[in-house]
Amino acid sequence: MTAATTRRMVDVSGAEALWLLQGTARGRLVHLRREVPVVRPAVHVLEYGRLVVRCPVQADALAGRPVLTYQAEEIRSEAGTGWSVTVSGPAEPVTDAAEAAHYARTLPGWAYGPHDTLLRITPQTVTGHRLGTVNPA
């Protein structure tokens, strides 16, 4: 990047943000624990308009938290380009045994046992940004 190149961030539509989210499989689940934000790595898939997330957090730690936030990004730091997407919405654990088995097979986890949770988030708020560079003329 030259001295004349400047970085900029541009908002994208919710539809484009969800399209970007479909192109990656890793992100972060954000929730409150004792009123302090907690961020955990997670993997996800977007299916039928809902975001299914597998994350290393105990399901009971999320009890009483009907709205969760998920964030994913792909940023190339050398070039200063990429994107970031944040999704917030009502969340519920995946409880159907067959569905949970499907997602346990298709979404690789970081932890197994009580710290391995499958969640379904219905996106209500979707924001996204593209990061880029501009060469002034």
Side-chain angles (χ1 to χ4, degrees), residues 97-128:
E99 188 180 10
H102 164 72
Y103 290 122
R105 283 189 308 272
T106 59
L107 294 172
W110 276 279
Y112 299 98
H115 287 84
D116 187 30
T117 301
L118 288 164
L119 300 167
R120 184 180 301 104
I121 300 173
T122 302
Q124 280 186 338
T125 304
V126 180
T127 58

Short mmCIF file of all heavy atoms in Angstrom, two decimals, residues 97-128:
data_model
loop_
_atom_site.label_atom_id
_atom_site.label_comp_id
_atom_site.label_asym_id
_atom_site.label_seq_id
_atom_site.Cartn_x
_atom_site.Cartn_y
_atom_site.Cartn_z
N ALA A 97 -32.82 -34.61 18.06
CA ALA A 97 -31.66 -35.52 18.06
C ALA A 97 -31.07 -35.72 16.66
O ALA A 97 -29.85 -35.68 16.49
CB ALA A 97 -32.03 -36.86 18.68
N ALA A 98 -31.91 -35.93 15.67
CA ALA A 98 -31.40 -36.15 14.31
C ALA A 98 -30.75 -34.89 13.76
O ALA A 98 -29.69 -34.95 13.13
CB ALA A 98 -32.54 -36.60 13.39
N GLU A 99 -31.36 -33.75 14.00
CA GLU A 99 -30.79 -32.49 13.54
C GLU A 99 -29.47 -32.19 14.25
O GLU A 99 -28.49 -31.78 13.62
CB GLU A 99 -31.79 -31.35 13.79
CG GLU A 99 -31.39 -30.05 13.19
CD GLU A 99 -32.42 -28.95 13.45
OE1 GLU A 99 -33.35 -29.14 14.26
OE2 GLU A 99 -32.25 -27.88 12.84
N ALA A 100 -29.43 -32.43 15.55
CA ALA A 100 -28.19 -32.21 16.31
C ALA A 100 -27.08 -33.14 15.82
O ALA A 100 -25.93 -32.71 15.68
CB ALA A 100 -28.45 -32.42 17.80
N ALA A 101 -27.42 -34.39 15.51
CA ALA A 101 -26.41 -35.32 15.00
C ALA A 101 -25.89 -34.86 13.64
O ALA A 101 -24.69 -34.95 13.37
CB ALA A 101 -27.01 -36.73 14.89
N HIS A 102 -26.77 -34.34 12.79
CA HIS A 102 -26.36 -33.82 11.49
C HIS A 102 -25.35 -32.68 11.66
O HIS A 102 -24.29 -32.69 11.04
CB HIS A 102 -27.58 -33.34 10.70
CG HIS A 102 -27.23 -32.45 9.55
ND1 HIS A 102 -26.65 -32.94 8.39
CD2 HIS A 102 -27.38 -31.12 9.37
CE1 HIS A 102 -26.45 -31.93 7.56
NE2 HIS A 102 -26.89 -30.82 8.13
N TYR A 103 -25.67 -31.70 12.50
CA TYR A 103 -24.78 -30.56 12.69
C TYR A 103 -23.50 -30.94 13.43
O TYR A 103 -22.44 -30.37 13.18
CB TYR A 103 -25.50 -29.40 13.38
CG TYR A 103 -26.53 -28.77 12.49
CD1 TYR A 103 -27.86 -28.71 12.87
CD2 TYR A 103 -26.18 -28.25 11.25
CE1 TYR A 103 -28.81 -28.13 12.04
CE2 TYR A 103 -27.12 -27.68 10.41
CZ TYR A 103 -28.43 -27.62 10.82
OH TYR A 103 -29.37 -27.05 9.99
N ALA A 104 -23.58 -31.92 14.33
CA ALA A 104 -22.37 -32.38 15.02
C ALA A 104 -21.40 -33.02 14.02
O ALA A 104 -20.19 -32.91 14.18
CB ALA A 104 -22.73 -33.37 16.12
N ARG A 105 -21.96 -33.66 12.96
CA ARG A 105 -21.11 -34.26 11.92
C ARG A 105 -20.56 -33.21 10.97
O ARG A 105 -19.42 -33.32 10.52
CB ARG A 105 -21.89 -35.29 11.12
CG ARG A 105 -22.11 -36.61 11.79
CD ARG A 105 -22.70 -37.65 10.83
NE ARG A 105 -23.91 -37.19 10.14
CZ ARG A 105 -25.15 -37.31 10.61
NH1 ARG A 105 -25.35 -37.89 11.77
NH2 ARG A 105 -26.18 -36.89 9.90
N THR A 106 -21.36 -32.22 10.62
CA THR A 106 -20.95 -31.27 9.57
C THR A 106 -20.23 -30.04 10.08
O THR A 106 -19.54 -29.37 9.31
CB THR A 106 -22.17 -30.83 8.74
OG1 THR A 106 -23.14 -30.22 9.61
CG2 THR A 106 -22.80 -32.02 8.03
N LEU A 107 -20.39 -29.70 11.35
CA LEU A 107 -19.70 -28.55 11.93
C LEU A 107 -18.65 -29.04 12.92
O LEU A 107 -19.00 -29.56 13.98
CB LEU A 107 -20.70 -27.63 12.65
CG LEU A 107 -21.72 -26.92 11.78
CD1 LEU A 107 -22.76 -26.20 12.65
CD2 LEU A 107 -21.04 -25.94 10.85
N PRO A 108 -17.36 -28.91 12.60
CA PRO A 108 -16.32 -29.39 13.53
C PRO A 108 -16.32 -28.57 14.82
O PRO A 108 -16.47 -27.35 14.79
CB PRO A 108 -15.02 -29.19 12.75
CG PRO A 108 -15.33 -28.11 11.76
CD PRO A 108 -16.79 -28.24 11.43
N GLY A 109 -16.17 -29.24 15.94
CA GLY A 109 -16.18 -28.54 17.23
C GLY A 109 -14.79 -28.39 17.81
O GLY A 109 -13.85 -29.04 17.40
N TRP A 110 -14.69 -27.49 18.81
CA TRP A 110 -13.43 -27.29 19.53
C TRP A 110 -13.41 -28.10 20.82
O TRP A 110 -12.37 -28.45 21.32
CB TRP A 110 -13.24 -25.82 19.88
CG TRP A 110 -12.66 -25.02 18.77
CD1 TRP A 110 -11.33 -24.94 18.42
CD2 TRP A 110 -13.34 -24.19 17.85
NE1 TRP A 110 -11.17 -24.11 17.35
CE2 TRP A 110 -12.39 -23.63 16.97
CE3 TRP A 110 -14.68 -23.85 17.66
CZ2 TRP A 110 -12.73 -22.77 15.94
CZ3 TRP A 110 -15.02 -23.00 16.64
CH2 TRP A 110 -14.04 -22.47 15.79
N ALA A 111 -14.57 -28.32 21.38
CA ALA A 111 -14.66 -29.03 22.66
C ALA A 111 -15.85 -29.98 22.57
O ALA A 111 -16.80 -29.74 21.84
CB ALA A 111 -14.88 -28.03 23.80
N TYR A 112 -15.80 -31.05 23.31
CA TYR A 112 -16.89 -32.01 23.32
C TYR A 112 -17.40 -32.14 24.73
O TYR A 112 -16.73 -31.81 25.69
CB TYR A 112 -16.42 -33.35 22.75
CG TYR A 112 -15.96 -33.20 21.31
CD1 TYR A 112 -14.62 -33.05 21.01
CD2 TYR A 112 -16.89 -33.12 20.28
CE1 TYR A 112 -14.20 -32.87 19.70
CE2 TYR A 112 -16.48 -32.93 18.98
CZ TYR A 112 -15.14 -32.80 18.69
OH TYR A 112 -14.73 -32.61 17.41
N GLY A 113 -18.63 -32.60 24.87
CA GLY A 113 -19.22 -32.72 26.19
C GLY A 113 -20.06 -31.51 26.52
O GLY A 113 -20.66 -30.88 25.63
N PRO A 114 -20.10 -31.10 27.78
CA PRO A 114 -21.00 -30.02 28.19
C PRO A 114 -20.63 -28.65 27.61
O PRO A 114 -21.43 -27.74 27.63
CB PRO A 114 -20.91 -30.01 29.71
CG PRO A 114 -19.60 -30.65 30.02
CD PRO A 114 -19.35 -31.63 28.92
N HIS A 115 -19.41 -28.51 27.11
CA HIS A 115 -18.99 -27.24 26.52
C HIS A 115 -19.10 -27.25 25.00
O HIS A 115 -18.41 -26.50 24.32
CB HIS A 115 -17.55 -26.90 26.93
CG HIS A 115 -17.45 -26.49 28.36
ND1 HIS A 115 -17.34 -27.42 29.36
CD2 HIS A 115 -17.48 -25.28 28.93
CE1 HIS A 115 -17.28 -26.78 30.52
NE2 HIS A 115 -17.36 -25.48 30.29
N ASP A 116 -19.95 -28.08 24.47
CA ASP A 116 -20.16 -28.18 23.02
C ASP A 116 -21.64 -27.96 22.76
O ASP A 116 -22.45 -28.83 23.03
CB ASP A 116 -19.70 -29.55 22.52
CG ASP A 116 -19.74 -29.64 21.01
OD1 ASP A 116 -19.55 -28.62 20.34
OD2 ASP A 116 -19.95 -30.76 20.52
N THR A 117 -21.98 -26.79 22.27
CA THR A 117 -23.37 -26.40 22.13
C THR A 117 -23.72 -26.07 20.69
O THR A 117 -22.97 -25.40 20.00
CB THR A 117 -23.65 -25.17 23.03
OG1 THR A 117 -23.35 -25.53 24.38
CG2 THR A 117 -25.09 -24.72 22.94
N LEU A 118 -24.88 -26.54 20.27
CA LEU A 118 -25.43 -26.21 18.96
C LEU A 118 -26.59 -25.25 19.16
O LEU A 118 -27.53 -25.54 19.93
CB LEU A 118 -25.94 -27.47 18.25
CG LEU A 118 -24.87 -28.41 17.73
CD1 LEU A 118 -25.46 -29.78 17.41
CD2 LEU A 118 -24.20 -27.81 16.50
N LEU A 119 -26.53 -24.11 18.49
CA LEU A 119 -27.56 -23.08 18.62
C LEU A 119 -28.11 -22.71 17.26
O LEU A 119 -27.39 -22.74 16.26
CB LEU A 119 -26.97 -21.81 19.25
CG LEU A 119 -26.38 -21.94 20.63
CD1 LEU A 119 -25.57 -20.70 20.96
CD2 LEU A 119 -27.50 -22.11 21.63
N ARG A 120 -29.35 -22.30 17.24
CA ARG A 120 -29.97 -21.77 16.03
C ARG A 120 -30.32 -20.31 16.31
O ARG A 120 -31.06 -20.01 17.23
CB ARG A 120 -31.22 -22.56 15.69
CG ARG A 120 -31.88 -22.15 14.40
CD ARG A 120 -33.13 -22.95 14.08
NE ARG A 120 -32.87 -24.38 13.99
CZ ARG A 120 -33.19 -25.28 14.93
NH1 ARG A 120 -33.76 -24.90 16.04
NH2 ARG A 120 -32.92 -26.55 14.77
N ILE A 121 -29.76 -19.41 15.51
CA ILE A 121 -30.03 -17.98 15.66
C ILE A 121 -30.86 -17.54 14.45
O ILE A 121 -30.48 -17.78 13.31
CB ILE A 121 -28.73 -17.16 15.73
CG1 ILE A 121 -27.88 -17.61 16.92
CG2 ILE A 121 -29.03 -15.67 15.80
CD1 ILE A 121 -26.50 -16.98 16.98
N THR A 122 -31.98 -16.89 14.72
CA THR A 122 -32.79 -16.31 13.66
C THR A 122 -32.36 -14.85 13.50
O THR A 122 -32.60 -14.04 14.39
CB THR A 122 -34.29 -16.39 14.01
OG1 THR A 122 -34.64 -17.76 14.23
CG2 THR A 122 -35.14 -15.82 12.88
N PRO A 123 -31.72 -14.51 12.39
CA PRO A 123 -31.20 -13.15 12.23
C PRO A 123 -32.31 -12.10 12.23
O PRO A 123 -33.26 -12.19 11.46
CB PRO A 123 -30.50 -13.18 10.86
CG PRO A 123 -30.21 -14.62 10.61
CD PRO A 123 -31.34 -15.36 11.26
N GLN A 124 -32.21 -11.15 13.15
CA GLN A 124 -33.12 -10.00 13.17
C GLN A 124 -32.38 -8.74 12.76
O GLN A 124 -32.92 -7.91 12.05
CB GLN A 124 -33.73 -9.81 14.56
CG GLN A 124 -34.86 -10.72 14.85
CD GLN A 124 -35.52 -10.41 16.17
OE1 GLN A 124 -34.93 -9.80 17.05
NE2 GLN A 124 -36.75 -10.83 16.32
N THR A 125 -31.15 -8.61 13.23
CA THR A 125 -30.31 -7.48 12.87
C THR A 125 -29.07 -8.02 12.18
O THR A 125 -28.36 -8.85 12.73
CB THR A 125 -29.89 -6.68 14.13
OG1 THR A 125 -31.06 -6.28 14.83
CG2 THR A 125 -29.08 -5.47 13.74
N VAL A 126 -28.84 -7.56 10.96
CA VAL A 126 -27.68 -8.00 10.19
C VAL A 126 -26.96 -6.75 9.69
O VAL A 126 -27.55 -5.93 9.00
CB VAL A 126 -28.09 -8.87 8.98
CG1 VAL A 126 -26.87 -9.30 8.19
CG2 VAL A 126 -28.89 -10.07 9.44
N THR A 127 -25.70 -6.60 10.08
CA THR A 127 -24.91 -5.48 9.60
C THR A 127 -23.62 -6.02 8.99
O THR A 127 -23.12 -7.07 9.41
CB THR A 127 -24.54 -4.49 10.73
OG1 THR A 127 -23.82 -5.19 11.74
CG2 THR A 127 -25.80 -3.88 11.33
N GLY A 128 -23.11 -5.31 8.03
CA GLY A 128 -21.87 -5.74 7.41
C GLY A 128 -21.11 -4.57 6.83
O GLY A 128 -21.69 -3.51 6.54
#
